[in-house]
Amino acid sequence: MDKGATKLRARRIRLALWLAAAALSVGVVAIVARLQLDAYERMVGSSHRQIAGAASGVIRSLDQDIDSSLGPLLALRNGVTSADPGPLNTALAEVHARHPELANFVALDAAGNVVASTRPPRPGDWHPVLKAPRHTALGASVRVSITAAQPDLGPTVRVLVDSRVAQPAAFGARIDSERASDMLRHSMLSGSAVLSVFSTDGQLFASNRDNVAQHWTRRDVVPGASGTYDEDSYMYAWATSATYPLVVRVGVDRTAIREEWFRQAQSTVLATLVLLLILNGLASWLGRAYSHQGTLLEALTRSARHLGDVQRSGHIGLWEADLRSRSILWSGHVHEITGLPLERMGGRLGTYYKLVHPEDQVAIVAWLDRFTDGDGPYEIEHRLCRPDGNEVRVNLRAARITNEEGATILAGTISEITALHETRQRLRESDRDLAASEAAYRKLLARMPLPLLVVRDDLIDFANPLAEERLGAPGEGLTGRSASTFMDSDALAAIRAGSTDNAGVIAWLEPMRGMPFEAELALSDYKDSRGRGTLVIVRDVTEQRRYEERLNHQATHDELTGLPNRRALREQLDVLVHECIRDNTGLMVLFIDLDHFKFINDALGHALGDQVLRDVTLKLGDALDGLGHVGRFGGDEFVAMLPFSGPPAKALDVLPRIQRAIEEPLEVAGTVQRLKCSIGVAFATRDGADAETLIRNADTAMYDAKRSGRHTWKRYSANMHATAMARLTVITRLAPAHLDQELALAWQTQHDSLTGKAIGVEALLRWPMAPGDLAWPDQLIPLLEETGAIVSIGQWVLREACRQQRRVVEALGEGCRIAVNISAQQLAHSDLVAEVRQALRETGASASALELELTESAFMNEPERAIRTLHELRAMGVSIALDDFGTGYSNLTYLSRLPLDKMKVDRHFTTTLLEDTADASICRSIIFLARSLNLQVVAEGVETQSQREWLEREGCVAMQGFLFSRPVPLDALSREPALIR
């Protein structure tokens, strides 16, 4: 009867194993299927994001191409003043030579007819562009249109900019589709992707696939919009330009995505099939093993039933203990476990401690100490010596809790586990061989998709098919061969030493055929009927190492020059600074910037500019000759780090060598170029003790070298940092939106020296809340010129002076002009005529009461343009004054052509005319020159009565200075005569 029950249980176990294997197989299939479907959805989602990003990137590139064409067109607009064919064709040819990337430049009349062109025009070729809507860019009216393909010319983008004169009426540039198509063909998308550019009315402009039919039917898109849609087997993403009538559409074939997904899924499906075969094979093997162990299972089942009966019929005791008072409370069943009568169950821990077996008492004390650091629950098994002489094994389990009174106590249980302990010992002994066999096969199952070896006594005892294929040769197996034939000494040493499960070692393996390769070996103990060995799982990491090295190189090196990039520079410099401090040596950091490198990029293109940067990299390496390290910080900026052991002055000897190396002639596109550079120098630790500070301070010194005229070098000083902070303060606080809150005007009157009457007033810029010495104009104005903020601030001064014109006239009387200083940058980089006209219109000020003061340097950059601008201002009724005459170039050629009303004698000559005869002669000559040209002359900086009398004797009666009035707020202006004698 017992034998039949054993067989029945064995059959049930085998059936359960088969059912478990089947369920696990179904589960694995379901999980793999779900994962593959998720992988397909991720591939589709990734493709969606990729084509959307590509559409946005292409539309930005097209916008930049069109925007870059506006520069040469605006240059034509500002430089051409007549339709004279000779100068007009010359201007077009010069612009085309500087911008060969644009296919054609034309000049048009008002009807759209070509009056000049760099390429032979077609009749009516530019007429459609005249119908395109206008928009304003860089102060000019711009029209952009896409024209259809013609017999010998593909689709083109036409850009028109209106002229400033009547004839020619407009200037145009043509961008051919081939340039955009080439950009699309070199995109990083797959070969099946379709990238197309359309006009918003559906006209195809460019595409990377000429053999695919293209169409665009959506006519209701708004500028700057984007979206996606599906059509046939393609999914598309599109984006429109916010400025120009362009649409970019990017499409990917879903069929190609499915094919790629299928290729990736094949290996997973094959691995899953192998896993299922192994699972079912293992279930079969375990079924046979359980069949052979029938008697053992019967015994184990009987022991488990007996143990369950004991647990159900046995008593479990409960207890609570307070470790501080060493008191304890027991439940009524504890005396049955301990053997103590109820009357001896006292409330002290010592009562129980006396029953603990002497060998277990130390463990009990350590177990109780664990509750001082944690709440548990914690368990312990130990022996009790009952009063009747019997020894029992019990289990204590407890946790630290807070009772109803808020006190911290231990609450736990006690149960007798003598029978359970004995049964557990028998189970361990009976199941040891079976557990070892099952664990080995589980490891084999987990690692089967990779090459697997079993090494025993330095010999290969087993190799799976993948290992035979990777390490062996046809017709020659691995089994029985020495492991040293294939593995290096590190791997053999790890195998001989023995390894815990999943221990790993990196080793070089040498197959019987092919090249040696680097592999990661997963080692684990292996045991079977033949003894112990080592299970070795082989994973080839050669490609992974190459990929990691490539990624690391790309992350730390500049792609163009191969030099360390900004991130690597900082890390390397921090290491050098640490070594410098540790070894008490020196370290010099150089920040090298090429002077006027932008001219090469603008004239020859970025491709040749990149070649120049590579050549400069080689020159820097030759100049340093291993003395230090060099990297590319960005653009045309390089950083060199040079350790040295001598005095810093000696280390500076390398600077002329670097300058000479960079100055050596370079042949670029058939031309010989001679570069120069500006260098900033910082020393560790004097100028900084970390990479960030040293690079920043060397950069600051380099900019100081550029301000000093370029082609030189400067050492960093604390004053440079103060200047940089002042520059940053100007940029942040004097932004156009904050000028009304930050700036103010002071007013200094100009007087008729004979009557003392105010005849004019000059508006002077003040920054009341300026930090440091920037409140002084002689410190503030040069900084504004350097940062470029002088343009927006000059516009603010002009508007504010016009806005206050009425109050000034009320304070000083009719006929009093307001003088406003105009910087050279305002004249060069803005439309001064338009700004003056707008300021007068917005404020209602009178042009006849406005006077603009310009220095001689304002005319030096583009004298012809400046002269035209001043004539237009004079035509509006605005007066023009030449300020600080004699301190600049004093070019009399331009002086005779300038439409001036007034000339001002600089305060330098006025202040020293009584002490310096040379300055007095110059002052006398300026007054004579102004009177000879019928110009009013005003002397600035008059501070003493003697200076006033000298100027009157020489015929200068208009004066300005502290003798008459200091700069005052508007409310302090007065029409009372000053210093009437």
Side-chain angles (χ1 to χ4, degrees):
M1 185 69 180
D2 291 341
K3 184 177 181 180
T6 300
K7 292 182 178 180
L8 179 60
R9 281 192 293 273
R11 286 197 297 271
R12 288 176 177 174
I13 289 172
R14 290 198 298 273
L15 179 60
L17 286 172
W18 282 109
L19 291 176
L24 186 57
S25 299
V26 173
V28 170
V29 171
I31 291 172
V32 171
R34 179 69 263 177
L35 291 176
Q36 293 306 313
L37 289 176
D38 289 344
Y40 177 73
E41 294 298 329
R42 286 195 299 272
M43 291 179 70
V44 173
S46 176
S47 296
H48 264 295
R49 292 188 296 273
Q50 189 177 22
I51 61 178
S56 299
V58 172
I59 202 68
R60 287 195 299 271
S61 296
L62 291 173
D63 283 349
Q64 291 173 1
D65 284 347
I66 295 176
D67 289 341
S68 64
S69 69
L70 294 180
L73 291 177
L74 289 176
L76 287 171
R77 176 179 180 267
N78 294 330
V80 176
T81 58
S82 72
D84 188 352
L88 183 57
N89 282 288
T90 299
L92 292 177
E94 290 176 349
V95 172
H96 197 191
R98 291 194 299 270
H99 299 276
E101 70 276 9
L102 299 177
N104 191 16
F105 285 90
V106 298
L108 307 177
D109 59 15
N113 298 318
V114 177
V115 297
S117 175
T118 58
R119 297 282 177 86
R122 295 182 180 85
D125 197 19
W126 289 83
H127 289 171
V129 190
L130 298 179
K131 301 177 182 179
R134 283 184 167 92
H135 74 276
T136 301
L138 301 177
S141 176
V142 179
R143 285 169 284 185
V144 177
S145 173
I146 294 180
T147 60
Q150 298 179 15
D152 57 346
L153 183 65
T156 60
V157 171
R158 308 293 178 102
V159 184
L160 275 187
V161 173
D162 289 347
S163 175
R164 300 179 61 179
V165 295
Q167 185 72 1
F171 299 97
R174 189 185 76 209
I175 304 174
D176 288 346
S177 64
E178 184 58 30
R179 179 180 174 191
S181 297
D182 184 65
M183 175 187 68
L184 300 181
R185 284 192 288 268
H186 287 82
S187 69
M188 299 301 292
L189 296 177
S190 65
S192 63
V194 179
L195 288 82
S196 309
V197 182
F198 301 90
S199 64
T200 51
D201 58 0
Q203 173 66 46
L204 177 65
F205 171 56
S207 175
N208 70 326
R209 302 277 297 278
D210 298 333
N211 57 344
V212 178
Q214 305 285 335
H215 64 276
W216 175 258
T217 58
R218 298 170 181 256
R219 300 290 190 268
D220 55 347
V221 296
V222 298
S226 60
T228 60
Y229 69 92
D230 291 347
E231 185 176 286
D232 297 331
S233 63
Y234 276 80
M235 58 183 184
Y236 291 102
W238 58 270
T240 62
S241 171
T243 308
Y244 304 112
L246 295 175
V247 178
V248 171
R249 185 186 70 179
V250 183
V252 176
D253 192 351
R254 286 181 179 270
T255 304
I257 298 176
R258 286 193 292 270
E259 291 176 354
E260 177 65 20
W261 167 74
F262 182 73
R263 284 195 297 271
Q264 295 182 11
Q266 281 181 332
S267 59
T268 303
V269 172
L270 291 176
T272 303
L273 292 176
V274 173
L275 179 61
L276 293 178
L277 291 174
I278 296 172
L279 278 174
N280 287 277
L282 180 62
S284 177
W285 179 85
L286 288 176
R288 288 194 300 271
Y290 276 110
S291 178
H292 294 320
Q293 298 290 334
T295 303
L296 179 60
L297 290 174
E298 176 69 16
L300 292 177
T301 304
R302 186 165 54 252
S303 298
R305 184 174 66 253
H306 291 166
L307 180 60
D309 293 338
V310 171
Q311 290 177 336
R312 286 191 297 272
S313 61
H315 297 289
I316 296 177
L318 305 178
W319 56 274
E320 293 182 358
D322 188 340
L323 297 181
R324 290 178 298 179
S325 63
R326 313 298 292 180
S327 62
I328 189 169
L329 296 176
W330 304 94
S331 69
H333 297 294
V334 176
H335 74 282
E336 298 177 2
I337 298 174
T338 61
L340 290 175
L342 291 174
E343 59 270 20
R344 293 186 59 188
M345 295 291 294
R348 306 297 298 175
L349 281 173
T351 303
Y352 181 82
Y353 185 80
K354 293 177 182 179
L355 298 176
V356 177
H357 193 283
E359 294 178 1
D360 296 342
Q361 289 179 353
V362 176
I364 285 290
V365 173
W367 180 71
L368 290 174
D369 289 340
R370 294 181 64 185
F371 291 98
T372 60
D373 298 323
D375 294 333
Y378 303 126
E379 291 186 16
I380 188 173
E381 294 180 11
H382 67 91
R383 292 165 291 178
L384 285 179
C385 299
R386 295 165 54 113
D388 57 7
N390 294 325
E391 183 180 294
V392 296
R393 183 171 290 270
V394 298
N395 174 273
L396 290 180
R397 178 181 174 87
R400 188 170 65 179
I401 64 172
T402 302
N403 62 12
E404 294 80 2
E405 290 78 19
T408 300
I409 63 171
L410 298 183
T413 62
I414 181 173
S415 58
E416 182 182 350
I417 59 170
T418 305
L420 178 62
H421 177 71
E422 295 172 354
T423 303
R424 188 186 299 155
Q425 289 294 107
R426 291 197 299 272
L427 286 174
R428 289 195 188 100
E429 295 171 358
S430 301
D431 288 343
R432 186 174 295 125
D433 292 339
L434 179 61
S437 178
E438 291 177 355
Y441 277 93
R442 282 198 300 272
K443 295 169 185 175
L444 180 62
L445 172 65
R447 295 166 173 81
M448 189 61 69
L450 293 172
L452 180 147
L453 302 170
V454 175
V455 179
R456 185 182 283 114
D457 298 330
D458 286 352
L459 297 177
I460 297 177
D461 190 61
F462 170 79
N464 71 349
L466 288 177
E468 295 279 4
E469 178 183 351
R470 187 69 181 90
L471 296 174
E476 298 184 48
L478 298 178
T479 304
R481 294 182 178 272
S482 173
S484 61
T485 305
F486 306 94
M487 301 179 183
D488 62 13
S489 58
D490 292 338
L492 290 174
I495 293 174
R496 292 165 181 166
S499 304
T500 59
D501 286 351
N502 299 322
V505 61
I506 300 298
W508 279 92
L509 302 186
E510 184 169 357
M512 298 176 66
R513 62 175 182 176
M515 298 296 294
F517 63 92
E518 188 178 17
E520 180 183 20
L521 306 182
L523 308 179
S524 58
D525 289 334
Y526 178 83
K527 179 184 177 184
D528 57 12
S529 59
R530 300 176 57 185
R532 292 185 176 276
T534 302
L535 190 69
V536 181
I537 307 296
V538 179
R539 186 171 71 89
D540 190 345
V541 297
T542 305
E543 290 300 324
Q544 176 183 337
R545 289 286 184 268
R546 292 173 181 169
Y547 182 71
E548 290 172 352
E549 291 172 0
R550 186 165 60 251
L551 286 181
N552 183 63
H553 187 273
Q554 291 175 351
T556 58
H557 286 77
D558 174 50
E559 181 179 0
L560 177 64
T561 63
L563 294 175
N565 60 14
R566 185 177 301 188
R567 169 188 168 189
L569 277 171
R570 290 194 174 100
E571 294 175 354
Q572 190 174 25
L573 182 53
D574 277 329
V575 172
L576 292 175
V577 170
H578 176 74
E579 295 175 352
C580 163
I581 297 174
R582 182 195 63 197
D583 302 333
N584 195 27
T585 57
L587 176 64
M588 181 170 64
V589 179
L590 307 181
F591 200 104
I592 306 168
D593 183 271
L594 302 181
D595 294 336
H596 302 302
F597 180 73
K598 185 177 183 299
F599 294 165
I600 293 179
N601 274 339
D602 291 345
L604 303 179
H606 288 277
L608 292 177
D610 291 346
Q611 181 59 48
V612 170
L613 291 177
R614 286 190 286 266
D615 292 340
V616 169
T617 300
L618 298 176
K619 289 185 174 185
L620 285 174
D622 293 340
L624 295 179
D625 194 23
L627 295 177
H629 311 272
V630 64
R632 186 184 180 200
F633 195 74
D636 59 342
E637 298 172 336
F638 299 85
V639 171
M641 300 164 286
L642 287 80
F644 61 92
S645 56
K650 184 65 175 177
L652 294 173
D653 292 344
V654 74
L655 298 180
R657 190 160 69 244
I658 292 176
Q659 289 178 320
R660 287 193 300 270
I662 292 179
E663 290 171 9
E664 290 179 359
L666 279 176
E667 184 173 352
V668 184
T671 65
V672 176
Q673 302 295 328
R674 296 181 181 272
L675 299 176
K676 297 182 184 299
C677 66
S678 299
I679 304 176
V681 183
F683 287 95
T685 57
R686 184 183 73 91
D687 301 325
D690 60 274
E692 187 70 29
T693 304
L694 284 170
I695 293 176
R696 184 184 67 238
N697 291 341
D699 187 18
T700 300
M702 182 275 294
Y703 274 105
D704 190 70
K706 283 190 175 294
R707 286 193 300 272
S708 300
R710 304 177 188 269
H711 185 41
T712 185
W713 60 270
K714 291 287 187 178
R715 286 182 60 175
Y716 173 80
S717 66
N719 292 335
M720 294 181 184
H721 180 70
T723 302
M725 292 302 299
R727 191 182 304 111
L728 179 63
T729 301
V730 167
I731 294 174
T732 53
R733 288 182 54 181
L734 297 186
H738 306 152
L739 297 183
D740 289 335
Q741 293 78 35
E742 293 283 349
L743 300 179
L745 291 182
W747 307 84
Q748 186 176 29
T749 52
Q750 300 170 357
H751 291 262
D752 185 331
S753 177
L754 300 178
T755 64
K757 180 182 178 181
I759 58 175
V761 63
E762 182 177 0
L764 301 174
L765 178 65
R766 293 293 185 267
W767 189 4
M769 297 177 290
D773 57 358
L774 291 182
W776 299 100
D778 56 348
Q779 297 292 330
L780 175 61
I781 300 302
L783 196 57
L784 296 179
E785 296 276 0
E786 178 186 345
T787 60
I790 191 66
V791 175
S792 59
I793 291 176
Q795 294 168 354
W796 179 88
V797 172
L798 176 64
R799 289 194 304 271
E800 186 67 11
C802 292
R803 190 174 66 84
Q804 302 292 351
Q805 187 187 80
R806 185 181 301 276
R807 295 183 58 191
V808 171
V809 171
E810 291 175 355
L812 300 179
E814 294 292 334
C816 183
R817 292 180 182 271
I818 297 178
V820 176
N821 289 281
I822 301 297
S823 73
Q825 293 188 36
Q826 280 181 272
L827 192 61
H829 302 304
S830 64
D831 192 340
L832 183 60
V833 175
E835 291 173 4
V836 172
R837 184 179 292 111
Q838 182 178 359
L840 294 175
R841 183 174 60 252
E842 290 178 353
T843 61
S846 171
S848 61
L850 178 64
E851 183 178 279
L852 303 183
E853 293 188 2
L854 298 95
T855 61
E856 298 169 59
S857 60
F859 310 105
M860 293 302 103
N861 190 20
E862 294 183 80
E864 298 299 332
R865 179 174 179 268
I867 291 172
R868 288 197 305 271
T869 300
L870 296 186
H871 277 291
E872 292 181 34
L873 291 171
R874 280 285 302 274
M876 293 168 53
V878 177
S879 297
I880 308 296
L882 184 59
D883 196 13
D884 300 339
F885 183 77
T887 61
Y889 295 95
S890 300
N891 193 318
L892 300 182
T893 301
Y894 292 127
L895 181 63
S896 64
R897 298 173 58 193
L898 293 175
L900 300 177
D901 298 287
K902 183 184 296 185
M903 183 184 296
K904 302 187 73 173
V905 180
D906 185 73
R907 67 181 67 251
H908 167 76
F909 303 110
T910 307
T911 304
T912 61
L913 60 85
L914 297 179
E915 294 80 23
D916 191 321
T917 57
D919 285 345
S921 298
I922 293 174
C923 186
R924 184 180 294 108
S925 300
I926 293 174
I927 296 172
F928 176 78
L929 178 62
R931 295 178 62 184
S932 300
L933 295 174
N934 294 322
L935 300 178
Q936 183 182 1
V937 60
V938 178
E940 294 182 306
V942 180
E943 298 180 357
T944 66
Q945 185 65 25
S946 299
Q947 294 169 355
R948 174 181 183 178
E949 293 172 355
W950 189 95
L951 290 168
E952 287 179 353
R953 287 196 300 270
E954 296 300 327
C956 176
V957 296
M959 302 181 191
Q960 176 181 345
F962 291 171
L963 181 64
F964 299 92
S965 172
R966 291 180 176 272
V968 297
L970 181 61
D971 295 333
L973 286 178
S974 173
R975 69 173 66 192
E976 293 297 327
L979 296 175
I980 297 180
R981 295 166 294 182

